[in-house]
């Protein structure tokens, strides 16, 4: 039947991606929107493409080879993809397919001019637009030429850039099909692109129109700078008229030509203001139909707009759902927790259930709504102060929002401002026994959880966990624990402020807190040096570890000389710290106990780069430096006017900071210890559901929220389509960069340092650990791939506590995310590493192996020649 090879656009809607590809489905959907004009046309379906592919068996073999090529081997991808394209273009279109196409052309006008456009099944989707990855041909005339260009569109599924783009988006070449859209050619006076949300800021209420003369190809190809209009609430709020010196026009005999624009017209706007507003109104109608912001290609023909393409804008960060129409301001949780990767649904839902503040999910990340605290002058000042001390970029972003008088209306204070955000600041006695007591409380609570959860199964497990989450929050909100954390932070701030004022010392607390006691995260890094000490004298063990790939390698160690001692040392480390991992706030991430191979490269680096006894030596060296710094500071203070009083105050604060600052890391250790207990129980439940044939695989539960998992445990029914949708969404979220601050309008704000005291070309950040160091930059995105030498400077997006074993072997630290009191900063100070955090784009701007200089006191990084 000819219908399977050709469908009219009016017969298609956006649900038929598998039949007519993304572009064809979107155009079909557009055709059905009242008031939207789409040039007449038809789709050559994916059935036709499948028929073509069966005509050349050699293509299957080449696809096999292409699937095995390393994604970084551009040359081999280029060679194989060219062979596949050549094979497709060389296939004669079967008679019944060609007949279906020529009949459709006859209905629309055989001698008319047409646009022939690729429409892949993985194109123009909500999660990946694939814009520009396949080919479009304009002003094609005559059946023979149109058939030839349809073949070229089929072949364009295998352009080098399309193949690489699919690899990066995790899409298998074999799963994608190519349809082709054939449309009557529009000959516009002007054309361009309409974004129904601002593509730069993300603001959903601001539409952007790019416009130029002639066909839109001039804009898409970058031939000319367009006129740019910004429209909000039906009014043009900004516009820039460009000098449009070139345009692309259709030729009478087919094809297109670049032409010069008459000098008198170059600086005239391509659209009138009224036309811009009318176009945006059409765009809002299209956006409402598809349910998300759109990137729309339009043509102006005789004062009427024709829409030739609409695709979702896939680069926008999603906005948290709100139950009202009010303005909201959200602050990123990931930037505070040093984990800005997306979380799977089980991960973010469990963090929401165990967090001390309500959190909202968007794009797989969590945000806290701070609107009410910003609206009240008293709580606003406390919030901005806290944010400014932690991450100045968050404060700057919030102040940018506040500068817009109408976005966050002030509400009168109904009473005193209350304690600073983050907890009570009631003084607590400087007594190390308090920290010991808190740690013991946490251990007792975790031990009780481990004991009580063992007998829980099915729905009863989830009921138990909901009660356990309340105990979790009770431990977190323990007033004494909060007092101790605040006491350590306030003592740090006091020392930095006062010693800066009295002695001109910058960040003196950095040295004074070296090797502070009871810091479980810095102990974790040093403990891995002790593991290396056990392994170093055993050459067979070292050689074995260099080739380890299997997670069961610990069992194999006992067969080697010295292997039992090595296994026991690693196992003891995992018993104490194995619940940790990169991105540990997401319970779905594999823990070190589940994937111990993650630690092997770090252990081998320690074996190679350190001498025996390094852990004890480093800790003692840090303690001596801190003691020497204390003596130096107190001596200099006593020499000042009123020096005895100043020295006494400073001594009291130094004792306080050394007593309490290490505990700052323990609550997170307690949280993650509990998380591992939760996870083991939940995975055991998932295993039971797999055995009962409810779930296809255990990790499918990661794509359900906690409540959904609970429902599945009760009903023994699961929606497989929902799990697949969640997997697709999670993959798309990985390509998004979360903002520090996000508004309900969708505007993403990253903040700025606004400094003019750094050298030209330097990368600006936040100074969090004093000192200056020069060395080789190691840009590392995955801890498991670390290969460090002594003196290297670690450059990475973020460092949560799991990165601290790497800190013992580096000379300095640069991260894209972080604040003064985030984990990476605290441990950098513990180890005496010069560190600058919050350096936007550091892993992109600094190349692996480059020499850099880190100014940990001044807060900038120089890239050296």
């Amino acid at each position: 039947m000819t219908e399977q090879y050709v469908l009219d656009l009016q017969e298609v809607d956006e649900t038929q991606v598998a039949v007519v590809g993304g572009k064809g489905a979107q155009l079909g959907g557009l055709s059905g929107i009242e008031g939207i004009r789409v040039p007449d046309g038809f789709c050559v379906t994916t059935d036709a493409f499948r028929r073509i592919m069966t005509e050349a068996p050699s293509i299957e073999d080449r696809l096999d080879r292409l699937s095995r090529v390393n994604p970084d081997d551009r040359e081999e991808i280029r060679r194989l993809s060219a062979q596949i394209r050549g094979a497709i273009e060389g296939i004669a279109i079967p008679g019944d397919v060609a007949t279906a196409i020529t009949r459709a052309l006859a209905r629309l006008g055989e001698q008319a001019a047409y646009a022939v456009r690729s429409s892949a099944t993985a194109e123009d989707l909500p999660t990946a637009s694939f814009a520009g990855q396949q080919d479009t041909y304009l002003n094609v005339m005559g059946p023979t030429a149109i058939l030839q260009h349809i073949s070229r569109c089929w072949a364009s599924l295998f352009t080098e850039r399309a193949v690489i783009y699919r690899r990066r988006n995790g899409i298998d070449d074999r799963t994608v099909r190519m349809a082709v859209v054939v449309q009557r050619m529009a000959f516009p006076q002007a054309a361009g692109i309409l974004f129904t949300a601002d593509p730069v800021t993300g603001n959903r209420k601001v539409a952007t129109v790019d416009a130029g003369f002639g066909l839109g190809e001039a804009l898409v190809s970058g031939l000319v700078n367009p006129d740019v209009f910004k429209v909000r609430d039906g009014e043009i709020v900004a516009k820039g008229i460009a000098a449009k010196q070139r345009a692309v026009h259709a030729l009478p005999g087919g094809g297109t030509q670049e032409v010069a624009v008459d000098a008198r017209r170059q600086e005239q706007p391509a659209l009138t203001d009224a036309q811009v507003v009318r176009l945006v109104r059409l765009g809002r109608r299209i956006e409402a139909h598809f349910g998300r912001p759109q990137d729309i290609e339009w043509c102006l023909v005789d004062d009427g707009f024709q829409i030739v393409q609409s695709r979702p804008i896939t680069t926008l960060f999603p906005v948290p759902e709100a139950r009202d129409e009010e303005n909201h301001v959200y602050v990123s949780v990931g930037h505070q927790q040093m984990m800005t990767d997306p979380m799977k649904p089980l991960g973010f839902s469990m963090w929401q259930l165990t967090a001390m503040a309500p959190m909202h999910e968007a794009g797989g990340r969590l945000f806290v709504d701070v609107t009410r605290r910003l609206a009240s002058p008293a709580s606003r000042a406390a919030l901005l102060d806290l944010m400014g001390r932690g991450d100045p970029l968050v404060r700057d972003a919030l102040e940018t929002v506040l500068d817009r008088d109408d976005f966050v209306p002030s509400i009168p204070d109904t009473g005193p401002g209350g304690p600073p955000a983050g907890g009570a600041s009631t003084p607590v006695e400087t007594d190390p026994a308090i920290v010991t007591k808190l740690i013991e409380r946490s251990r007792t609570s975790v031990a009780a959880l481990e004991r009580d959860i063992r007998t829980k199964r099915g729905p009863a497990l989830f009921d138990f966990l909901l009660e356990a989450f309340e105990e979790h929050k009770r431990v977190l909100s323990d007033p004494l624990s909060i007092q101790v954390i605040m006491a350590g932070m306030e003592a740090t701030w006091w020392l930095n402020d006062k010693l800066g004022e009295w002695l001109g010392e910058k960040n003196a607390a950095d040295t004074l807190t070296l090797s502070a006691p009871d810091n479980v995260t810095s102990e974790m890094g040093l403990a891995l040096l002790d593991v290396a000490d056990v392994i170093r004298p055993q050459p067979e063990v070292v050689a074995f570890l260099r080739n380890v790939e299997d997670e069961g390698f610990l069992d194999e160690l006992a067969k080697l000389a010295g292997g039992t001692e090595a296994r026991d040392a690693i196992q003891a480390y995992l018993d104490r710290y194995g619940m940790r991992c990169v991105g540990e706030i997401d319970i779905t991430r594999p823990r070190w106990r589940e994937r111990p191979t993650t630690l092997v490269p770090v252990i081998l680096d320690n074996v190679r780069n350190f001498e025996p006894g390094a852990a004890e030596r480093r800790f003692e060296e840090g303690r001596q430096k801190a003691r020497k710094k204390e003596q130096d500071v107190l001596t200099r203070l006593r020499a000042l006017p009123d020096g005895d009083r100043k020295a006494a105050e400073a001594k009291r604060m130094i004792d306080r900071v050394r007593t309490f600052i290490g505990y700052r890391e323990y609550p997170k250790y307690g949280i993650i210890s509990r998380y591992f207990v939760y996870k083991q129980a939940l995975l055991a439940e998932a295993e039971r559901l797999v055995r009962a044939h409810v779930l296809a695989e255990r990790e499918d539960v990661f794509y359900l929220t906690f409540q959904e998992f609970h429902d599945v445990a009760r009903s023994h029914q699961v929606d497989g389509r929902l799990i697949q949708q969640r997997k697709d969404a999670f993959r798309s979220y990985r390509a998004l960069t979360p903002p520090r601050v996000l508004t309900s309008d969708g505007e993403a704000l990253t903040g700025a340092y606004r400094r003019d005291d750094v050298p030209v070309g330097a990368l600006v950040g936040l100074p969090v650990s004093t000192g200056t160091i020069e060395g080789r930059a190691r840009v590392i995105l995955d801890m498991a791939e670390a290969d460090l030498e002594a003196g290297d400077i670690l450059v990475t997006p973020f460092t949560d506590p799991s990165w601290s074993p790497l800190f013992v072997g580096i000379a300095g630290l640069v991260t894209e995310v972080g604040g003064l009191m985030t984990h990476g900063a605290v441990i950098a100070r513990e180890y005496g590493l010069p560190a600058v955090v919050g350096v936007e784009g550091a892993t992109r701007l600094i190349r692996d192996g480059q020499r850099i200089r880190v100014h940990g006191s001044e807060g900038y990084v120089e890239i050296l020649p």
Side-chain angles (χ1 to χ4, degrees):
M1 294 176 62
T2 57
E3 288 77 17
Q4 66 182 354
Y5 296 132
V6 169
L7 286 173
D8 193 87
L9 278 180
Q10 275 70 39
E11 300 176 79
V12 172
D13 63 32
E14 58 269 30
T15 66
Q16 293 172 270
V17 172
V19 179
V20 296
K23 186 180 287 129
Q26 290 282 109
L27 285 166
L30 284 166
S31 299
I33 304 173
E34 187 178 347
I36 302 299
R37 292 170 57 199
V38 176
D40 290 338
F42 60 89
C43 299
V44 182
T45 68
T46 53
D47 284 348
F49 177 76
R50 271 193 290 268
R51 176 78 183 279
I52 288 295
M53 295 294 276
T54 60
E55 299 283 320
S58 65
I59 293 176
E60 192 63 30
D61 174 59
R62 289 180 179 129
L63 281 172
D64 267 341
R65 281 186 278 158
L66 187 60
S67 69
R68 293 193 294 271
V69 173
N70 185 315
D72 296 324
D73 190 348
R74 298 285 293 262
E75 191 54 48
E76 184 63 5
I77 289 174
R78 183 179 298 122
R79 190 181 69 80
L80 281 170
S81 57
Q83 288 178 2
I84 294 168
R85 289 197 307 277
I88 292 171
E89 288 189 45
I91 298 166
I93 298 178
D96 50 347
V97 177
T99 299
I101 293 168
T102 53
R103 280 179 182 164
L105 284 171
R107 286 196 299 272
L108 292 176
E110 213 171 66
Q111 297 310 311
Y114 288 87
V116 182
R117 314 168 73 193
S118 64
S119 179
T121 54
E123 185 178 13
D124 293 350
L125 305 182
T127 55
S129 78
F130 282 74
Q133 299 307 313
Q134 281 93 37
D135 290 347
T136 288
Y137 301 96
L138 299 178
N139 204 30
V140 182
M141 302 176 75
T144 302
I146 289 168
L147 289 169
Q148 182 184 28
H149 285 84
I150 288 170
S151 286
R152 288 180 180 171
C153 282
W154 286 330
S156 75
L157 188 64
F158 297 100
T159 62
E160 178 191 351
R161 67 180 185 275
V163 170
I164 290 170
Y165 191 86
R166 285 195 291 273
R167 291 288 181 88
R168 287 178 181 162
N169 282 273
I171 296 170
D172 185 344
D173 293 317
R174 298 167 183 282
T175 65
V176 186
R177 302 282 183 266
M178 179 66 85
V180 181
V181 176
V182 180
Q183 280 179 288
R184 286 288 294 258
M185 187 71 189
F187 299 100
Q189 293 88 50
I193 300 166
L194 159 63
F195 297 97
T196 63
D198 190 313
V200 177
T201 68
N203 196 317
R204 307 306 200 263
K205 293 188 176 178
V206 176
T208 301
V209 176
D210 291 1
F213 295 124
L215 294 168
E217 288 304 292
L219 268 63
V220 174
S221 65
L223 182 63
V224 297
N225 291 323
D227 297 339
V228 180
F229 303 85
K230 291 190 182 293
V231 178
R232 183 180 180 122
D233 298 329
E235 291 185 11
I236 294 175
V237 293
K239 66 178 171 180
I241 307 303
K244 300 169 288 295
Q245 297 174 342
R246 313 291 291 173
V248 174
H249 287 291
L251 291 169
T256 60
Q257 183 179 39
E258 180 187 321
V259 297
V261 176
D262 187 288
R264 289 167 296 183
R265 291 187 65 218
Q266 288 178 5
E267 297 193 22
Q268 289 180 7
L271 296 177
T272 66
D273 287 1
Q275 287 170 332
V276 170
V277 172
R278 179 154 51 97
L279 174 60
V280 170
R281 206 175 296 130
L282 294 174
R284 292 292 179 214
R285 195 176 298 173
I286 294 168
E287 178 184 68
H289 175 84
F290 289 118
R292 65 185 67 234
Q294 297 288 301
D295 163 355
I296 298 165
E297 293 182 24
W298 56 269
C299 295
L300 178 68
V301 181
D302 300 328
D303 198 40
F305 287 104
Q306 295 188 21
I307 305 302
V308 296
Q309 189 163 343
S310 183
R311 62 169 76 90
I313 307 174
T314 58
T315 55
L316 297 176
F317 199 87
V319 181
E321 285 185 24
R323 295 186 180 141
D324 56 40
E325 296 299 315
E326 301 298 316
N327 290 340
H328 293 269
V329 182
Y330 303 97
V331 170
S332 164
V333 172
H335 285 81
Q336 313 304 313
Q337 290 292 335
M338 298 294 280
M339 211 295 273
T340 54
D341 290 345
M343 300 167 75
K344 296 187 177 84
L346 185 62
F348 68 67
S349 64
M350 287 192 67
W351 194 260
Q352 286 172 311
L353 286 166
T354 53
M356 298 308 299
M359 293 183 181
H360 307 264
E361 182 271 336
R365 279 77 167 192
L366 291 172
F367 295 84
V368 173
D369 187 342
V370 296
T371 316
R372 287 194 65 80
R373 285 162 74 185
L374 286 175
S376 162
S379 60
R380 177 193 308 154
L383 176 69
L384 291 175
D385 180 61
L386 187 74
M387 292 296 175
R389 285 184 180 275
D391 184 347
L393 293 178
V394 173
R395 176 173 183 147
D396 183 79
L398 291 173
E399 287 176 333
T400 300
V401 176
L402 289 169
D403 285 344
R404 299 165 192 160
D405 297 333
D406 58 340
F407 196 82
V408 181
S410 283
I411 57 174
D413 292 321
T414 54
S425 58
T426 309
V428 62
E429 187 183 351
T430 304
D431 181 1
I434 295 173
V435 173
T436 304
K437 177 182 172 185
L438 286 169
I439 290 172
E440 190 51 43
R441 268 192 211 172
S442 177
R443 286 176 179 161
T444 301
S445 176
V446 172
L449 173 67
E450 288 175 328
R451 181 187 67 240
D452 296 343
I453 205 170
R454 283 179 192 144
T455 58
K456 304 299 185 287
R457 303 283 186 277
L461 169 65
F462 293 85
D463 294 335
F464 172 82
L465 283 172
L466 288 171
E467 292 177 17
F469 296 163
E470 293 309 307
E471 166 67 5
H472 183 124
K473 289 193 274 191
R474 188 197 65 74
V475 172
L476 273 184
S477 60
D478 181 340
L480 184 60
S481 178
I482 294 171
Q483 286 172 336
V484 166
I485 291 168
M486 291 306 296
M489 291 169 65
E490 286 165 356
T492 301
W493 297 336
W494 188 96
L495 286 165
N496 283 337
D497 291 346
K498 291 298 184 183
L499 297 183
E501 177 189 336
W502 294 338
L503 298 176
E505 283 266 355
K506 249 188 181 173
N507 302 324
D510 292 1
T511 307
L512 292 167
T513 54
L514 289 172
S515 298
D518 300 313
N519 189 317
V520 68
T521 310
S522 61
E523 288 167 2
M524 179 171 70
L526 295 173
L528 208 58
L529 288 174
D530 291 335
V531 172
D533 286 354
V534 175
I535 290 169
R536 192 179 293 105
Q538 310 297 337
E540 275 190 59
V541 172
V542 173
F544 172 78
L545 289 176
R546 285 190 183 123
N547 297 298
V548 156
E549 291 181 0
D550 192 315
E551 298 300 344
F553 73 92
L554 287 175
D555 296 332
E556 298 297 313
L557 274 175
K559 301 171 186 175
L560 307 173
T564 302
E565 294 87 344
R567 180 198 61 195
D568 292 348
I570 295 172
Q571 190 59 60
Y573 185 87
L574 291 172
D575 289 344
R576 178 139 169 76
Y577 303 110
M579 78 294 288
R580 310 215 82 151
C581 67
V582 173
E584 62 193 10
I585 67 170
D586 182 353
I587 200 169
T588 70
R589 292 285 191 104
R591 311 284 134 174
W592 290 343
R593 261 205 236 172
E594 297 168 311
R595 197 172 287 175
T597 54
T598 305
L599 292 173
V600 170
V602 190
I603 293 170
L604 290 172
D605 282 349
N606 289 348
V607 166
R608 184 174 69 246
N609 295 333
F610 292 93
E611 296 295 322
E616 188 177 346
R617 268 197 317 277
R618 282 182 68 114
F619 188 80
E620 184 56 29
E621 283 167 8
R623 208 165 61 82
Q624 293 298 339
K625 280 183 187 174
R627 184 180 293 169
K628 186 177 176 186
K629 184 69 173 177
E630 176 183 336
Q631 292 168 348
D632 172 60
V633 162
L634 296 179
T635 300
R636 289 161 63 199
L637 285 174
R638 291 189 188 104
L640 298 175
D642 198 18
D644 286 345
R645 179 188 64 81
K646 290 172 178 173
E649 284 186 36
K651 172 61 176 165
R652 187 171 69 84
M653 285 299 182
I654 291 169
D655 290 346
R656 201 163 174 76
V657 81
R658 288 197 65 79
T659 299
F660 293 138
I661 200 65
Y663 178 74
R664 161 76 177 77
E665 292 293 300
Y666 201 89
K668 183 75 172 286
Y669 176 81
I671 291 170
I672 301 307
S673 297
R674 295 180 72 89
Y675 258 42
F676 191 55
V677 179
Y678 303 153
K679 183 177 187 181
Q680 287 173 302
L682 288 169
L683 284 178
E685 185 62 27
E687 289 279 13
R688 283 189 282 275
L689 291 168
V690 169
R691 289 196 297 272
H693 306 292
V694 176
L695 293 172
E697 52 189 48
R698 189 179 70 161
E699 282 75 18
D700 280 354
V701 297
F702 294 167
Y703 297 93
L704 300 173
T705 65
F706 179 83
Q707 186 57 54
E708 289 165 347
F709 190 0
H710 191 174
D711 292 341
V712 171
R714 272 197 297 252
S715 68
H716 273 219
Q717 292 182 321
V718 68
D719 184 346
R721 288 172 305 176
L722 175 66
I723 288 173
Q724 188 55 52
Q725 286 167 7
R726 295 270 178 80
K727 288 179 178 179
D728 293 342
F730 179 75
R731 188 172 61 238
S732 73
Y733 294 156
R734 292 170 70 178
L736 299 176
T737 301
R740 284 177 167 80
V741 172
L742 182 66
T743 72
S744 49
D745 284 354
E747 185 172 6
L749 298 106
T750 55
Y753 288 107
R754 308 190 192 283
R755 290 175 55 186
D756 55 9
D757 60 342
V758 297
V760 176
L763 308 180
V764 184
L766 178 66
V768 295
S769 186
T770 195
T772 301
I773 191 72
E774 186 177 310
R776 178 180 70 154
R778 291 308 321 273
V779 180
I780 295 175
L781 306 181
D782 182 350
M783 178 179 159
E785 294 174 5
D787 180 17
L788 296 164
E789 299 287 348
D792 283 348
I793 298 169
L794 175 62
V795 181
T796 192
F798 57 79
T799 57
D800 61 8
S802 68
W803 285 77
S804 48
L806 288 183
F807 284 22
V808 299
I810 59 175
L813 174 69
V814 179
T815 69
E816 296 176 330
V817 174
L820 192 62
M821 298 308 294
T822 48
H823 301 280
V826 171
I827 304 308
R829 290 193 290 273
E830 274 278 318
Y831 288 167
L833 300 175
V836 180
V837 303
V839 181
E840 282 288 305
T843 59
R844 179 172 44 83
L845 298 169
I846 299 171
R847 291 196 311 275
D848 187 52
Q850 273 188 316
R851 289 196 68 76
I852 61 173
R853 186 180 297 127
V854 177
H855 296 263
S857 306
E858 308 300 327
Y860 64 89
V861 179
E862 292 179 284
I863 299 175
L864 302 175

